[in-house]
Amino acid sequence: MTLADFEPQLLRWRHHLHRHPETGFEEVNTADYVASVLSALGLEVHRGIGGTGLVANLTVGEGKGVIGLRAEMDALAITEAAEGRAYASQTPGRMHACGHDGHMTMVLGAARLLRERRNFSGTVRFIFQPAEEHGRGAKAMMDDGLFERFPVDEIYGAHNMPGLPAGCFATRTGGIMASEDNFVIHVKGRGTHAARPHMGVDPIVIGAEIVLALQTIVSRSLDPSLPAVISCTEFITDGIRNAIPSNVVIKGDTRSYSPDVQALLEKRMREVSTGICSTHGAECTFEYTHEFAPTVNWAECVPTALAAATAVAGAGKVDGNVQPMMISEDFGAFLRIVPGAFVFIGNGDTGATGGTPLHNARYDFNDSLLPIGARYFAEIARIRLPN
Ligand SMILES: [Zn+2]
Ligand SMILES: [Zn+2]
């Protein structure tokens, strides 16, 4: 085999995946396709880990080290709006609008580079996870014994980033992407005639007080050097215009970069909500669910990511201290268990090719990143598994 057809092959893989998007835990054809490519490269493929997830192993030489390279397989429930795009989604209501088609292709490309160059000694595991978008797939794979069956010393991942110039790398030590938690506060008062409020317990006034008080948690309870966001996103009542309702449901979302901050937000939000309700004689139920762990890069792994990025892109295109982003990423769940690092790879400046935002119906992964990302992942393995 020769690498002469490498870049055309990356394009074929990516465009096939783009044409056939599938959402979380339904990535059946996607997993079939990825497995067939990996098998054709001569790798040992293990299917059905956490639903549609799969792992392929490549061992070269006698080295004992094991490195995991991860890609995510799911698309979004969005109808693609890209006139003239030859490889547009063939499934209405489904679209690779986050570039996971590109991420899969980069990791497949790394598999091919490492398979042909054999310039390392040890084992590389290519990990393809389902259901990243809803923050469920990493946990499903781990619950299914991912790291017991396929242990890794370190794991690496990447996400394309519109707004960052194409091919530039950015990462940082510590929190790089936020946790996402969701909350539901149910305020149960007592409905009454709108003109006779003293006969009831008004959950709207109580709920409004809760919404405002929640905003004091970040400003008054949290160390000012630690970032966090609390957003109430829904305020639902069962009332009509001339009656005070009995129930208010407040829903929302919080973000932060550390488990300690997550725990503090949950504790204070519960205290504030139940405290205000009891002051006014309403009942309160408070539910708080963890959707995404924060993505916290390990200090000992970031230098590897930076060295690999520098080898591929040149020092001028590598930022080792990027601002963290408040978006969330299921890769964080892996980093709670094993050391590793996550990088952003620029998909193109705003206004340029690749600058359309993630999750937009016109978004597209920038094909110029495919060989860059493939070389980046292969370089990680080469650095960490020297022969
Ligand atoms: Zn996404
Ligand atoms: Zn994504």
Side-chain angles (χ1 to χ4, degrees):
M1 281 202 282
T2 159
L3 281 169
D5 67 334
F6 185 51
E7 294 193 14
Q9 183 176 49
L10 294 176
L11 285 182
R12 283 198 302 278
W13 288 341
R14 212 281 283 182
H15 294 174
H16 175 93
L17 291 165
H18 194 89
R19 273 192 196 97
H20 303 288
E22 296 169 301
T23 48
F25 292 125
E26 292 173 359
E27 308 95 333
V28 175
N29 296 322
T30 304
D32 282 348
Y33 184 77
V34 167
S36 73
V37 169
L38 292 163
S39 297
L41 290 172
L43 273 62
E44 166 202 319
V45 182
H46 300 265
R47 304 282 307 270
I49 305 161
T52 47
L54 63 100
V55 175
N57 298 314
L58 175 62
T59 298
V60 170
E62 302 294 318
K64 295 286 171 248
V66 187
I67 292 298
L69 304 175
R70 170 274 204 175
E72 65 282 54
M73 300 193 290
D74 54 328
L76 287 150
I78 292 175
T79 296
E80 188 160 6
E83 273 171 42
R85 190 173 289 167
Y87 51 86
S89 168
Q90 295 181 356
T91 310
R94 295 286 182 274
M95 177 191 177
H96 270 296
C98 206
H100 299 178
D101 50 343
H103 303 161
M104 284 185 275
T105 304
M106 296 190 305
V107 172
L108 291 173
R112 180 165 176 208
L113 292 175
L114 290 164
R115 171 80 177 84
E116 297 195 15
R117 291 179 177 161
R118 303 176 69 81
N119 55 352
F120 67 98
S121 179
T123 297
V124 184
R125 302 199 197 282
F126 304 90
I127 299 168
F128 291 81
Q129 77 150 87
E132 187 285 324
E133 292 289 352
H134 301 296
R136 298 276 185 273
K139 182 172 186 301
M141 287 190 88
M142 290 190 287
D143 287 350
D144 214 358
L146 172 66
F147 292 132
E148 289 76 29
R149 292 167 67 191
F150 305 103
V152 300
D153 301 329
E154 296 172 4
I155 189 167
Y156 292 86
H159 206 292
N160 78 93
M161 196 51 64
L164 187 66
C168 288
F169 284 76
T171 189
R172 73 195 309 278
T173 298
I176 184 166
M177 281 189 282
S179 62
E180 179 182 351
D181 295 339
N182 289 169
F183 60 87
V184 180
I185 303 162
H186 191 153
V187 181
K188 187 170 172 49
R190 194 168 64 248
T192 178
H193 194 289
R196 297 181 61 76
H198 60 290
M199 302 293 288
V201 175
D202 185 348
I204 291 187
V205 172
I206 299 166
E209 199 173 324
I210 290 172
V211 170
L212 290 175
L214 291 179
Q215 292 307 316
T216 66
I217 293 173
V218 171
S219 67
R220 301 291 92 172
S221 299
L222 186 65
D223 179 336
S225 67
L226 299 173
V229 175
I230 297 174
S231 291
C232 295
T233 54
E234 295 177 75
F235 193 104
I236 305 154
T237 82
D238 58 352
I240 53 174
R241 197 165 55 94
N242 58 0
I244 289 167
S246 290
N247 296 286
V248 160
V249 177
I250 303 163
K251 298 186 184 180
D253 177 299
T254 77
R255 309 283 170 129
S256 63
Y257 294 110
S258 87
D260 291 349
V261 174
Q262 249 177 315
L264 177 84
L265 296 182
E266 177 175 358
K267 174 174 174 288
R268 289 293 297 132
M269 289 177 71
R270 187 185 302 277
E271 289 168 354
V272 165
S273 303
T274 54
I276 290 172
C277 283
S278 85
T279 298
H280 295 290
E283 287 173 37
C284 182
T285 51
F286 180 83
E287 296 164 35
Y288 194 90
T289 54
H290 299 279
E291 306 296 324
F292 285 86
T295 300
V296 183
N297 281 337
W298 291 54
E300 61 264 48
C301 298
V302 171
T304 301
L306 292 174
T310 303
V312 168
K317 289 188 165 183
V318 179
D319 177 359
N321 192 24
V322 70
Q323 279 267 96
M325 294 205 188
M326 273 291 173
I327 53 177
S328 301
E329 161 65 63
D330 204 16
F331 193 76
F334 294 128
L335 291 184
R336 295 187 86 158
I337 309 296
V338 289
F342 195 80
V343 299
F344 302 129
I345 308 178
N347 200 54
D349 246 332
T350 307
T353 303
T356 306
L358 299 170
H359 295 200
N360 181 295
R362 294 181 184 281
Y363 165 85
D364 197 14
F365 184 87
N366 187 337
D367 282 324
S368 74
L369 307 187
L370 294 173
I372 296 170
R375 284 190 204 106
Y376 167 75
F377 280 119
E379 186 66 11
I380 295 264
R382 197 191 63 77
I383 293 171
R384 296 302 290 146
L385 304 171
N387 58 5

